[in-house]
Amino acid sequence: MRNPLVEKWEDKLQKIFNKIDHILEEKYGNMFPLRPNRPERGEGVTPDADGLFDLGVSFTVGLGSQFGPGYVFRVKLATLRKVPENLIEQIEEEVVDLLSAELPEQFPGKELKVARDGHVYKIFGNLDLE
C-alpha cells in the first residue's frame, strides 16, 4: 500500500508533466513522424505513452548524484527520424522553463529546483510531503 501523501505529491507532479506534454505536442507534435508502434496523440493510456513526446518522471534516492534524492526525467521524442541537436536542446530548455514556473504553483512554499544531472534532469530540493 502506498502512502497517500506520496500519491498526492506524485499526482500533482504528473499533472504538471501532462500539461507540459500538451504544450509540446501543440507546438512540435507534427514535426516528425511517430515510431510505427507509437499511438497517435490522445490514443494512449497516458500523455507520455502517445504522441511525439515521452516525459515520464520517476523518483530516485539519488545515490551518486550531486543533488541527492529527487524526481528524474528525460525529454524523449518518439520518432525514428534524426532530430537536430539544437532543436532537442531548445525543447529541453523549454521543458525546464515550464516546469520551473509550474512547481511553485503546485508546491507552494517548497524550494524545488530543476537541473541536469548526468544524462537526465532532476527535480530536487524540499521533497517534504506535508
Side-chain angles (χ1 to χ4, degrees):
M1 182 170 190
R2 291 192 46 154
N3 181 324
L5 294 175
V6 171
E7 287 184 11
K8 183 177 176 183
W9 175 280
E10 290 182 352
D11 284 347
K12 285 182 180 183
L13 192 56
Q14 191 59 56
K15 284 180 187 174
I16 294 172
F17 277 90
N18 290 348
K19 181 177 181 178
I20 293 170
D21 183 274
H22 177 73
I23 291 168
L24 296 177
E25 291 288 348
E26 286 292 315
K27 189 170 182 180
Y28 303 103
N30 294 319
M31 290 182 77
F32 301 95
L34 298 178
R35 290 190 319 247
N37 64 340
R38 183 78 169 180
E40 293 289 330
R41 180 179 177 201
E43 294 179 8
V45 177
T46 59
D48 65 326
D50 64 21
L52 185 61
F53 292 93
D54 177 355
L55 299 176
V57 61
S58 60
F59 180 77
T60 177
V61 294
L63 298 176
S65 168
Q66 65 178 332
F67 302 115
Y71 286 85
V72 295
F73 67 94
R74 288 180 50 196
V75 179
K76 295 187 269 184
L77 282 75
T79 185
L80 298 176
R81 290 254 177 97
K82 175 74 173 140
V83 180
E85 194 63 38
N86 63 333
L87 179 60
I88 292 171
E89 290 172 9
Q90 175 184 325
I91 293 169
E92 287 176 343
E93 286 178 23
E94 192 168 341
V95 170
V96 170
D97 290 345
L98 290 165
L99 183 57
S100 296
E102 284 290 323
L103 286 171
E105 297 294 320
Q106 290 297 319
F107 300 99
K110 305 267 185 223
E111 288 197 33
L112 297 169
K113 297 179 176 96
V114 181
R116 184 174 281 286
D117 192 17
H119 297 293
V120 296
Y121 286 90
K122 182 180 270 188
I123 301 164
F124 62 98
N126 181 357
L127 301 176
D128 185 18
L129 299 175
E130 297 179 28

